[in-house]
Amino acid sequence: AQKVTQAQTEISVVEKEDVTLDCVYETRDTTYYLFWYKQPPSGELVFLIRRNSFDEQNEISGRYSWNFQKSTSSFNFTITASQVVDSAVYFCALRKGTSGTYKYIFGTGTRLKVLA
Amino acid sequence: DVKVTQSSRYLVKRTGEKVFLECVQDMDHENMFWYRQDPGLGLRLIYFSYDVKMKEKGDIPEGYSVSREKKERFSLILESASTNQTSMYLCASSSPGGGYTFGSGTRLTVV
């Protein structure tokens, strides 16, 4: 069975602190994709990153970075020097890599509050 | 700017009413999805469609049906709304192998 676990329900940090959001996944597939989405108060989920199972390189995009480790089945997301605008619910998701299967399995989300 | 548009941001309906939630995408995507989002449960897939007139049940299809008569439009239907269907409903679309693009969501309250 496939599963995504985001054990942190809610995190509060003070502006400029670094924060890491954890994501642990379960799958028996050798080919799969992992995603992170941001849901600001407006409600629309915004795509942040996609990583396939064969690419374990860490990714950095501005203040955002992602650490993918197959050995621990984790795909963690770090925000450096957090800002109030980073306050949102963040979702990690898993999708099979096989063509014809389009369903995502989402984690329950982590609510991040960045305090000024 | 590519978009997934959900017709209503907020809806209040009475128990037993038939409710239609509309979703339109302008990206020529083959795949469209309906999720509901509830606190502590994350996003759960209700139905999805990978082509016109094609549909498949997701994880929680009971009490819902869908319609996809045109590629750009995917409708979610609550045949007889109940209070336990009060939720945030999110529509998404994607191309095969691509990431989802989500709509802004419809917050439905059934009273």
Side-chain angles (χ1 to χ4, degrees):
Chain A
Q2 295 187 310
K3 187 179 178 182
V4 175
T5 300
Q6 294 180 258
Q8 304 151 309
T9 305
E10 185 168 314
I11 302 174
S12 292
V13 298
V14 177
E15 209 171 15
K16 297 184 183 177
E17 283 186 11
D18 298 346
V19 58
T20 295
L21 310 182
D22 298 332
C23 174
V24 174
Y25 63 92
E26 296 176 28
T27 181
R28 292 183 179 178
D29 298 322
T30 55
T31 303
Y32 53 89
Y33 292 92
L34 295 164
F35 300 81
W36 275 96
Y37 284 84
K38 173 183 180 181
Q39 186 181 38
S42 61
E44 182 174 334
L45 274 81
V46 177
F47 168 77
L48 294 178
I49 190 171
R50 181 180 81 169
R51 174 66 76 231
N52 74 53
S53 52
F54 297 108
D55 183 1
E56 282 194 78
Q57 277 193 334
N58 290 333
E59 173 116 359
I60 297 175
S61 176
R63 296 185 296 107
Y64 294 172
S65 62
W66 291 269
N67 182 1
F68 175 30
Q69 292 195 340
K70 287 178 76 170
S71 60
T72 56
S73 296
S74 65
F75 186 42
N76 296 337
F77 173 31
T78 297
I79 302 174
T80 302
S82 60
Q83 299 176 2
V84 173
V85 294
D86 296 326
S87 297
V89 181
Y90 291 86
F91 289 94
C92 181
L94 167 71
R95 201 206 84 192
K96 282 187 176 185
T98 310
S99 63
T101 54
Y102 313 108
K103 296 189 294 183
Y104 287 31
I105 307 299
F106 283 88
T108 52
T110 297
R111 182 177 298 277
L112 174 65
K113 292 184 178 179
V114 181
L115 308 172
Chain B
D1 195 18
V2 294
K3 267 194 149 338
V4 175
T5 303
Q6 294 184 232
S7 54
S8 304
R9 193 64 198 276
Y10 298 95
L11 272 181
V12 180
K13 296 292 182 180
R14 296 195 180 276
T15 301
E17 276 193 72
K18 190 169 186 177
V19 181
F20 292 86
L21 302 184
E22 305 288 346
C23 176
V24 177
Q25 52 99 358
D26 64 2
M27 295 164 283
D28 202 35
H29 283 167
E30 289 81 359
N31 310 321
M32 296 187 76
F33 308 82
W34 276 106
Y35 284 84
R36 64 177 281 177
Q37 181 182 2
D38 301 289
L41 298 177
L43 278 73
R44 294 179 292 167
L45 182 64
I46 305 171
Y47 266 97
F48 66 103
S49 168
Y50 51 89
D51 202 351
V52 175
K53 297 190 184 294
M54 306 299 288
K55 60 185 179 184
E56 285 200 24
K57 293 180 180 179
D59 301 315
I60 51 164
E62 296 78 19
Y64 303 95
S65 62
V66 290
S67 172
R68 194 161 181 206
E69 296 297 318
K70 293 184 178 181
K71 191 175 186 180
E72 67 270 20
R73 186 179 298 270
F74 191 37
S75 303
L76 179 69
I77 304 157
L78 286 66
E79 297 291 342
S80 177
S82 63
T83 54
N84 63 14
Q85 292 178 310
T86 291
S87 186
M88 169 73 95
Y89 289 87
L90 291 163
C91 176
S93 71
S94 76
S95 56
Y100 282 4
T101 299
F102 280 91
S104 298
T106 296
R107 190 168 291 282
L108 173 67
T109 302
V110 182
V111 298

